Amino acid sequence: MKQGLFELRHQAEWRRFAERLDALEKGKAPGTSNETFSREYRRICNQLAVAQERGYSSHLVDPLQQLAMRGHQQLYRHRHPLGAQLLGFVLAGFPQLVRAEWRLVAIASLLFFGSLIGMGLLVYGFPDLVYSVIAPDQVAQMEGMYDPQSSRIGQTVERAADADWMMFGYYIMNNIGIAFQTYASGLLFGLGSLFFLFFNGLTIGAVAGHLTGIGSGQTFWSFVIGHGAFELTAIALAGAAGLKLGWALLAPGALRRGEALRIAAKTSVQLIYGVILFLLIAAFIEAYWSSMTWPQPAIKYTVGAGLWLLVIAYLVFAGRTHHAPD
């Protein structure tokens, strides 16, 4: 079936479902039973699967994905307790949302990881370049933090192991601050998010290239590889959420900018919920595992590689459902 005929056949149904969602989101009675709403939601998911399988354009697939996600939220909100809603979001809702916004996620990831890798290679090849990004006193501080002779790495001062919980709190506040800055600056028509993605990538890359070049690479990489899977991914996703806001302001389509921003904010805020979850996990790993020196580097690399594979598999495969076309 051609896309035009598919749209013509189901467009009225999609419009009615969107109207019911609008009513539910505003706290109004939708005028339909839970059973009817569930059946309509399953049909939307079915039609989305068909559209994706047949390779229909993003102008059709993207709105259907938005309807399916909004329907999923309302279904769980009205039929399941809060604990089940949270579990549903973690196990399915968040990775589904990341995949639905794959274009913005790809842009943010390319900018962040591209600048990180590029700057790391440049500093490794041209060591003095690090001082164009990081002040000399900060470079010296980093060298001390990742000195191979240190008893606990990744810290400016020595601390007792029973203070790990204090560092856990510090990492949470620091990482969430960076993520929120990257996200909220997207209100500057996306330029702020682009800047902070690029800037953070340059900074991290400069540190990595410099420490590798002076012989502290094993200390540095064995420290960051574990929590980096969650922390670096979270920064990229925060940037994608910010770009979602910026794009709504730049290209609101037929909507007013305020309305387009309101709709985009619903999606982007949910992305940030997932970002916060990732940063909590990263902070826990960084405080209780990354700074330890007793595990051999090979063990840390193995654990770190496993965590990276876990994050990738979670975002790519979690929450996938298969619907038979009707």
Side-chain angles (χ1 to χ4, degrees):
M1 183 186 299
K2 291 185 177 181
Q3 178 174 327
L5 182 58
F6 184 81
E7 289 184 81
L8 185 63
R9 175 176 293 184
H10 299 293
Q11 199 165 43
E13 180 181 349
W14 300 337
R15 184 170 57 252
R16 288 194 300 270
F17 189 69
E19 290 171 354
R20 292 190 178 103
L21 287 173
D22 290 338
L24 285 170
E25 289 167 352
K26 293 176 181 177
K28 300 177 181 178
T32 56
S33 66
N34 286 338
E35 183 179 350
T36 301
F37 182 82
S38 299
R39 184 168 59 252
E40 293 174 346
Y41 165 70
R42 288 194 296 270
R43 283 184 59 81
I44 292 293
C45 292
N46 190 5
Q47 291 155 7
L48 171 60
V50 171
Q52 291 173 325
E53 182 180 347
R54 294 175 179 171
Y56 291 157
S57 75
S58 61
H59 296 293
L60 171 62
V61 173
D62 289 353
L64 275 178
Q65 285 179 326
Q66 291 295 328
L67 282 179
M69 286 188 295
R70 291 170 64 193
H72 181 273
Q73 294 162 15
Q74 293 303 319
L75 189 67
Y76 272 80
R77 179 178 299 173
H78 292 279
R79 294 184 58 186
H80 301 273
L82 180 59
Q85 293 180 40
L86 292 174
L87 184 61
F89 176 76
V90 172
L91 295 180
F94 177 54
Q96 288 172 348
L97 185 59
V98 171
R99 292 194 294 272
E101 300 297 335
W102 68 269
R103 294 174 182 82
L104 295 176
V105 172
I107 292 171
S109 299
L110 284 172
L111 183 60
F112 177 61
F113 289 106
S115 60
L116 189 159
I117 295 171
M119 192 63 183
L121 292 174
L122 284 173
V123 170
Y124 184 78
F126 305 94
D128 290 341
L129 194 60
V130 68
Y131 299 108
S132 66
V133 180
I134 305 174
D137 59 327
Q138 292 178 313
V139 172
Q141 186 181 66
M142 289 291 175
E143 292 174 354
M145 290 169 62
Y146 297 100
D147 185 344
Q149 303 304 317
S150 175
S151 61
R152 291 183 73 85
I153 58 177
Q155 302 153 46
T156 56
V157 295
E158 295 296 319
R159 61 182 172 87
D162 60 3
D164 284 346
W165 66 271
M166 297 180 63
M167 294 306 298
F168 174 57
Y170 168 78
Y171 292 140
I172 290 174
M173 296 304 297
N174 181 68
N175 294 343
I176 289 180
I178 294 173
F180 183 77
Q181 182 185 56
T182 305
Y183 166 60
S185 59
L187 289 169
L188 299 174
F189 295 93
L191 294 176
S193 295
L194 291 173
F195 169 78
F196 283 112
L197 285 168
F198 185 66
F199 175 76
N200 287 323
L202 288 182
T203 303
I204 298 171
V207 171
H210 175 71
L211 292 175
T212 303
I214 65 171
S216 298
Q218 181 169 279
T219 309
F220 172 76
W221 291 111
S222 64
F223 175 78
V224 302
I225 190 171
H227 64 270
F230 292 93
E231 184 177 319
L232 299 183
T233 302
I235 293 175
L237 293 177
L243 293 177
K244 180 76 173 178
L245 300 179
W247 185 248
L249 294 172
L250 285 171
L255 301 174
R256 294 181 178 179
R257 278 193 169 85
E259 180 67 12
L261 181 61
R262 183 184 68 82
I263 295 172
K266 289 183 179 180
T267 302
S268 64
V269 166
Q270 292 177 64
L271 277 174
I272 292 301
Y273 291 156
V275 165
I276 292 173
L277 172 64
F278 268 34
L279 291 178
L280 288 173
I281 297 172
F284 181 84
I285 296 172
E286 188 170 3
Y288 291 97
W289 167 256
S290 296
S291 62
M292 293 181 178
T293 55
W294 64 263
Q296 294 296 314
I299 296 176
K300 285 200 168 184
Y301 290 141
T302 301
V303 172
L307 291 172
W308 273 103
L309 289 174
L310 175 64
V311 168
I312 294 170
Y314 168 70
L315 294 178
V316 173
F317 299 111
R320 287 191 181 273
T321 55
H322 299 281
H323 304 275
D326 64 350

